[in-house]
Amino acid sequence: MSFDMKDLYQDVIVDHNRSPRNFGKLEDADLSLEGYNPLCGDRLTLYIKLNNDIINDISFDGSGCAISVASASLMTEAMKGKSTKEAESVFNDFHHLLTDEEPDLDLEKFGKLAALAGVRDYPSRIKCASLCWHTLNGLLDGSHNSISTE
Amino acid sequence: MTADTPVKPYDIGKVREDFPVLHQEINDHPLVYLDNGATAQKPRQVIEVLDKYYREYNSNIHRGVHSLSEKATGEYEAARNKIKNFINAGSLQEVILTSGTTASINLVAQTYGRANLKPGDEILITEMEHHSNIVPWQILCEQTGASLKVVPINDKGELIMEEYQALLSDRTRLVAVVHISNALGTINPVKEIIDLAHAKEIPVLLDGAQAVPHCPVDVVALDCDFYCFSAHKLFGPTGTGVLYGKQALLEAMPPWQGGGDMIRTVRFNETTYNDLPYKFEAGTPHIAGVIGTGAAIDYVTAIGMENIAHYEADLLAYGSEALSHIDGLTQVGTAKNKAGIMSFVMDGIHPHDIGTILDQHGVAIRTGHHCAMPVMERYSIPATARASLALYNTRDDIDALVEALQNARKVFA
Ligand SMILES: Cc1ncc(COP(=O)(O)O)c(C=O)c1O
């Protein structure tokens, strides 16, 4: 394997880690949920504002590694304005991208989220990238008080 | 301790040759193993002993008249004797073989603790304990109505001894303290801690998981009541460990787990227990593991624990100095009296990312809370990166660490 850290820490990820988008508590949020990764201590809270089943606004706060923060930042960008159904479908696609043995590597449909595809090669880090997604999923199906990756 | 033994440098090249794992490439870089606090690598002298047991005389112990069983029993008990000499225990009865530090502490909590604690009693621990020296006491407190008191640490990661003295009360029934902190590297003033507790007739348990691989330990000179450690951090196999206890305390303690080997006679209306140390050793143990522990002790003893401590202290000084020149790096745990554990955080780079980037340079470190969440809380950090040294590490290893850390800074620049 050739050493290229850039596969994992692409510019997009470094940038979204340094200046995360949609960062901070959403004061008039309809729903919020905390996600926690006990292994590395990543702790994110996700806030959303729904209009019927459209995600009108979404934000997060908390702290974590570059992968989890950038993933949350990219996710909130991608989810704004989406319906909950669309959100669920992106969640599923993204999950397959990170964990399937032979994923459909047509990265076009992922837009900026494709920057996270490199995480595939770092199994111990997949939980970091998926923390925010599991949290969103838990928020939308309303069945959890908090989300833990363990 | 053998303070009058002159320190002799050992042949580091030869020592490194003894550890097969060290000679490989990880991600196209020579492996630099700096995660010894989690577990240490094994010399071929240990690996060969395990191999020999399984190839030549695998059999159960204390149960057979056949030759293999006699050989296995002999080697097993010989290992107990090596452990006894290694920590200078007074007798073989005082050396209980367990599955590790965690099991040793739980054993004391569930036998000594349950027999002696009642509501209103206190157990005194410190803010820098590993979870395995916190949770067993919390469970005991729930069972007995006793409560847990915690001695705080200062910003350098040193115990605040005035607070310790103030917390040692008429209600304190046991003090349980880590000898060397796995998260901070602090070497605690255990002799002083023990003397102060004994002045009030309070017994002291030491968690020696991180101490035994790095410095001489003499349980008689320390006068500790219990001492716990794991073989796997001492270059031996996983799944074996030791509980040293003073004989009078162990005699008075009820057994923990029931089963084979720990009994003398079993009848349905009455069972009598075996003598020490077997009273606390129910079931078939990790026989190869214990024999391998004996080999690990032979190995470090041949080098000399004083020499190892001296070598590592020099390497720690070199490493701490090197880390202090990295911009944006803050060391966590800067006690005056410190062992070869360097915990740190870096501005703008989460420890988890540091760990991944270092691994791409072949440098293995640990990142996370190190099973010491209260320590992380004390410093208001979610995690640290931790490089921990062993007798086979070199200045080249430190240089590789520093170079990889500089690279991490570039990735996030
Ligand atoms: C200070 C300390 N105590 C206890 C333990 C637990 O040891 P083990 O997991 O071998 O039982 C460790 C190991 O991680 C440790 O570093």
Side-chain angles (χ1 to χ4, degrees):
Chain A
M1 197 187 94
S2 76
F3 167 61
D4 191 358
M5 228 43 234
K6 286 278 170 202
D7 291 346
L8 181 61
Y9 295 105
Q10 297 194 14
D11 293 344
V12 181
I13 291 179
V14 172
D15 172 46
H16 276 255
N17 174 52
R18 192 182 298 123
S19 10
R21 320 298 196 267
N22 306 306
F23 190 80
K25 186 172 178 185
L26 202 58
E27 287 305 336
D28 53 351
D30 299 313
L31 297 167
S32 71
L33 185 66
E34 180 180 78
Y36 177 49
N37 177 352
L39 196 66
C40 47
D42 293 346
R43 204 182 272 282
L44 303 174
T45 303
L46 202 59
Y47 307 89
I48 56 176
K49 207 173 151 42
L50 287 174
N51 183 359
N52 294 320
D53 67 343
I54 302 295
I55 299 173
N56 244 1
D57 207 353
I58 176 166
S59 78
F60 75 104
D61 63 11
S63 71
C65 65
I67 304 299
S68 67
V69 169
S71 182
S73 174
L74 288 162
M75 180 190 82
T76 53
E77 258 192 354
M79 290 301 107
K80 219 179 264 192
K82 292 270 191 315
S83 72
T84 55
K85 250 209 156 52
E86 287 169 312
E88 202 177 309
S89 132
V90 181
F91 168 84
N92 285 330
D93 288 348
F94 189 70
H95 198 70
H96 287 303
L97 175 69
L98 293 192
T99 58
D100 278 8
E101 242 162 67
E102 284 173 31
D104 168 12
L105 281 175
D106 168 22
L107 295 177
E108 284 290 303
K109 68 176 173 208
F110 288 104
K112 269 205 232 169
L113 291 175
L116 286 157
V119 175
R120 280 184 56 76
D121 296 331
Y122 301 84
S124 67
R125 307 302 302 275
I126 290 171
K127 280 180 178 172
C128 308
S130 57
L131 176 64
C132 61
W133 288 94
H134 286 294
T135 310
L136 177 63
N137 206 35
L139 238 191
L140 293 178
D141 78 16
S143 61
H144 298 83
N145 297 324
S146 72
I147 293 291
S148 171
T149 57
E150 288 299 290
Chain B
M1 287 178 212
T2 49
D4 40 0
T5 325
V7 171
K8 266 203 333 255
Y10 53 87
D11 184 343
I12 183 74
K14 217 170 123 251
V15 163
R16 289 183 64 82
E17 272 171 32
D18 288 333
F19 291 82
V21 164
L22 298 180
H23 307 284
Q24 63 177 305
E25 300 218 323
I26 298 288
N27 298 320
D28 297 333
H29 290 68
L31 168 64
V32 171
Y33 188 76
L34 293 170
D35 193 18
N36 298 287
T39 197
Q41 298 302 342
K42 322 304 174 199
R44 63 180 167 74
Q45 290 85 341
V46 168
I47 299 167
E48 282 163 11
V49 159
L50 300 178
D51 188 70
K52 192 173 159 73
Y53 166 76
Y54 286 118
R55 280 178 193 278
E56 296 178 14
Y57 62 98
N58 170 60
S59 56
N60 214 323
I61 52 169
H62 302 138
R63 309 184 173 182
V65 293
H66 62 79
S67 300
L68 293 190
S69 176
E70 278 178 4
K71 165 91 168 148
T73 305
E75 295 292 334
Y76 185 85
E77 290 302 329
R80 192 192 307 272
N81 196 46
K82 289 173 188 178
I83 296 166
K84 167 186 148 299
N85 293 336
F86 183 60
I87 58 173
N88 195 30
S91 72
L92 292 167
Q93 284 72 28
E94 296 182 323
V95 179
I96 316 289
L97 300 167
T98 68
S99 67
T101 309
T102 302
S104 298
I105 297 173
N106 277 280
L107 192 162
V108 174
Q110 290 303 310
T111 59
Y112 182 83
R114 283 192 93 163
N116 290 287
L117 272 83
K118 50 187 191 316
D121 288 348
E122 293 172 2
I123 303 161
L124 191 53
I125 63 169
T126 82
E127 202 175 4
M128 68 172 93
E129 300 308 318
H130 188 280
H131 295 162
S132 65
N133 201 26
I134 303 174
V135 184
W137 308 119
Q138 289 176 323
I139 293 172
L140 176 64
C141 286
E142 269 176 37
Q143 291 165 334
T144 60
S147 59
L148 198 60
K149 298 285 166 188
V150 183
V151 185
I153 59 177
N154 65 22
D155 288 344
K156 292 168 132 179
E158 296 164 330
L159 267 191
I160 304 176
M161 289 301 282
E162 298 75 40
E163 299 272 359
Y164 169 62
Q165 292 198 45
L167 282 164
L168 266 182
S169 79
D170 296 342
R171 291 180 301 277
T172 312
R173 293 289 168 264
L174 183 75
V175 173
V177 178
V178 68
H179 188 168
I180 294 181
S181 155
N182 66 310
L184 300 165
T186 311
I187 304 176
N188 279 316
V190 285
K191 182 67 189 137
E192 197 185 337
I193 288 170
I194 292 165
D195 290 346
L196 286 165
H198 283 180
K200 298 194 159 189
E201 292 177 10
I202 302 163
V204 178
L205 174 146
L206 294 182
D207 168 357
Q210 296 292 341
V212 160
H214 306 294
C215 62
V217 170
D218 180 332
V219 291
V220 172
L222 286 172
D223 197 26
C224 59
D225 300 278
F226 299 105
Y227 199 95
C228 310
F229 64 95
S230 303
H232 70 97
K233 297 183 202 278
L234 181 64
F235 317 100
T238 56
T240 67
V242 175
L243 167 65
Y244 159 82
K246 281 187 183 163
Q247 191 152 346
L249 288 171
L250 293 175
E251 298 276 10
M253 280 154 54
W256 184 25
Q257 292 175 323
D261 283 342
M262 56 78 69
I263 47 81
R264 174 161 301 123
T265 56
V266 176
R267 292 202 188 86
F268 286 120
N269 57 357
E270 196 195 352
T271 287
T272 54
Y273 302 127
N274 205 339
D275 293 331
L276 290 175
Y278 310 110
K279 181 171 93 175
F280 295 108
E281 296 180 359
T284 301
H286 185 357
I287 301 168
V290 169
I291 297 170
T293 303
I297 286 174
D298 285 343
Y299 187 81
V300 292
T301 308
I303 298 174
M305 290 310 302
E306 290 283 357
N307 300 329
I308 293 168
H310 189 263
Y311 178 84
E312 288 182 13
D314 177 72
L315 201 54
L316 173 68
Y318 180 80
S320 307
E321 166 74 13
L323 291 188
S324 74
H325 294 299
I326 297 178
D327 283 343
L329 184 149
T330 308
Q331 300 195 46
V332 180
T334 49
K336 213 164 95 210
N337 205 1
K338 232 190 114 167
I341 287 170
M342 296 175 282
S343 250
F344 56 91
V345 292
M346 288 172 90
D347 288 348
I349 318 180
H350 190 278
H352 215 172
D353 297 309
I354 299 174
T356 295
I357 295 174
L358 263 52
D359 180 58
Q360 291 304 311
H361 287 77
V363 179
I365 60 158
R366 169 100 190 259
T367 64
H369 53 59
H370 316 295
C371 298
M373 284 186 173
V375 172
M376 302 300 120
E377 212 169 302
R378 167 66 177 71
Y379 290 95
S380 305
I381 46 181
T384 73
R386 179 189 74 181
S388 50
L389 308 172
L391 54 89
Y392 42 63
N393 288 120
T394 63
R395 290 187 175 204
D396 289 346
D397 291 345
I398 303 283
D399 294 344
L401 168 71
V402 168
E403 194 187 322
L405 289 172
Q406 298 289 15
N407 215 286
R409 289 191 62 243
K410 272 185 221 136
V411 171
F412 281 88

